[in-house]
Amino acid sequence: SKMSTEGSTVNTKVTGAARDKCWQARDVYFVCLDQYDDDESKCAKLKEQFEATCPATWAKHFVMRRNYDRVKTQGVVAMYSDKDRGTEPEWVKRLREQQNAKK
């Protein structure tokens, strides 16, 4: 599809190959952020690649979604109190261990 912007025409359609490249750049950038505890200075080149590869609205959405998911995950871990230890799902145990390691 095409969209007109002040006389110029912008192609808003993203091909499958471009979408796949965007997702791959996103995944590599987010893994870097996870590895370096969100220290963007360690992932600057990957961030540039991510932003250059993905449409700006997509990049913004992916970052917002990642932040939302992280906050939501912290809330889930908080729902399991100390008395629940041993009964929570394995992924919650791993999240708790990751959070405790950062303290």
Side-chain angles (χ1 to χ4, degrees):
S1 65
K2 294 191 183 235
M3 178 173 75
S4 182
T5 312
E6 295 179 24
S8 67
T9 303
V10 179
N11 190 354
T12 58
K13 184 176 182 181
V14 178
T15 65
R19 182 187 62 232
D20 291 346
K21 283 183 181 178
C22 168
W23 288 351
Q24 184 177 6
R26 172 202 62 191
D27 293 347
V28 170
Y29 172 53
F30 286 177
V31 165
C32 180
L33 288 176
D34 290 343
Q35 184 177 354
Y36 291 106
D37 198 25
D38 286 339
D39 183 349
E40 288 194 16
S41 67
K42 305 249 188 213
C43 307
K45 286 207 181 300
L46 294 174
K47 181 180 182 181
E48 287 174 21
Q49 194 172 9
F50 165 62
E51 291 176 343
T53 306
C54 295
T57 54
W58 287 29
K60 182 178 178 182
H61 167 78
F62 290 144
V63 169
M64 285 177 22
R65 183 65 198 218
R66 179 177 182 269
N67 292 338
Y68 169 78
D69 286 346
R70 289 169 61 100
V71 169
K72 186 172 112 181
T73 297
Q74 290 169 355
V76 167
V77 170
M79 284 180 2
Y80 287 91
S81 67
D82 287 342
K83 69 179 176 57
D84 296 320
R85 296 263 169 130
T87 62
E88 70 254 10
E90 189 61 37
W91 66 271
V92 174
K93 291 178 190 174
R94 284 194 304 273
L95 289 170
R96 184 186 308 279
E97 289 166 5
Q98 289 171 2
Q99 286 183 340
N100 289 339
K102 292 179 182 178
K103 290 180 182 174

